[in-house]
Amino acid sequence: MVLVVIRTVLRPDADVAAYEALAVRMDALVRTIPGFVSAEDAGELSLVRFASLEALAAWRNHPEHLEAQRAGRERFYRAYRVEVYEQVRAYDGPAGRG
Amino acid sequence: MVLVVIRTVLRPDADVAAYEALAVRMDALVRTIPGFVSAEDAGELSLVRFASLEALAAWRNHPEHLEAQRAGRERFYRAYRVEVYEQVRAYDGPAGRG
């Protein structure tokens, strides 16, 4: 399992409506990528999970997503940080309740 | 870099004041662990970063933390999920602005 943690800060002059429309489109598009697992917003963070680094690469290089990434850099983001992680382990609890 | 993602659901009958006091204490304690990097709350998630799996193991096995984990299982949590990740890569942008 691969986890991508994305933190973004919008430019003060960003067109928020255009940004949100693009974000909605990207949220729909990422769900079509084979190996996509889940996406969630958690405050200022987005957490996106893929089954493998290959699935993430397919998303990262999707032509429409590449265009959106460029729009993000050029028009929307003052700053962003993307962190890519591979899962080591996971566990649930309490036993029998989780 | 190691990232721990923790999602918790309190029991409906949990003593919230006692739980919050314990959480404050654990937040202070984890910061004393060599290799602790950062801790943040993001909605229903907590994200805690350590420099290495060894630093995480030191925290996981800290005697006072072991006691708190037991209290969590027995008194506070209806459910929890802990995921441990190792960082593959990270990048910032836009170039020169990040």
Side-chain angles (χ1 to χ4, degrees):
Chain A
M1 178 80 78
V2 171
L3 171 67
V4 186
V5 179
I6 304 152
R7 186 189 314 264
T8 55
V9 181
L10 284 184
R11 295 163 58 149
D13 61 344
D15 178 339
V16 175
Y19 175 72
E20 287 181 353
L22 186 60
V24 166
R25 170 64 189 149
M26 289 301 109
D27 184 71
L29 190 61
V30 70
R31 291 165 196 276
T32 69
I33 300 289
F36 168 83
V37 174
S38 67
E40 64 185 310
D41 276 322
E44 297 179 340
L45 301 175
S46 295
L47 275 63
V48 188
R49 290 176 172 82
F50 294 91
S52 66
L53 287 170
E54 291 68 29
L56 168 58
W59 170 235
R60 197 174 173 191
N61 297 319
H62 187 292
E64 194 178 339
H65 186 210
L66 286 172
E67 249 182 74
Q69 290 171 57
R70 173 188 295 242
R73 284 192 304 270
E74 294 182 353
R75 295 166 46 201
F76 297 124
Y77 294 134
R78 182 163 73 79
Y80 60 81
R81 180 167 178 79
V82 178
E83 298 169 348
V84 178
Y85 294 91
E86 278 193 295
Q87 194 171 88
V88 177
R89 60 179 178 267
Y91 50 95
D92 298 288
R97 293 157 168 267
Chain B
M1 180 81 77
V2 170
L3 171 67
V4 186
V5 179
I6 304 152
R7 185 189 315 265
T8 55
V9 182
L10 285 183
R11 296 162 57 148
D13 62 344
D15 179 341
V16 174
Y19 174 73
E20 286 181 353
L22 187 61
V24 166
R25 170 65 188 147
M26 288 303 107
D27 184 72
L29 191 61
V30 71
R31 292 165 196 274
T32 69
I33 301 289
F36 168 84
V37 174
S38 68
E40 66 186 308
D41 276 322
E44 296 179 341
L45 301 175
S46 295
L47 275 63
V48 188
R49 290 177 171 82
F50 294 92
S52 66
L53 288 169
E54 292 68 31
L56 168 59
W59 170 236
R60 198 174 173 190
N61 298 319
H62 187 291
E64 194 178 338
H65 186 209
L66 287 172
E67 249 182 73
Q69 290 171 56
R70 173 189 295 241
R73 285 192 300 272
E74 294 182 354
R75 296 166 47 201
F76 296 124
Y77 294 133
R78 183 164 72 78
Y80 60 80
R81 180 167 178 79
V82 178
E83 299 169 348
V84 178
Y85 294 91
E86 279 193 294
Q87 193 170 90
V88 178
R89 60 178 179 267
Y91 49 95
D92 298 288
R97 293 158 168 267

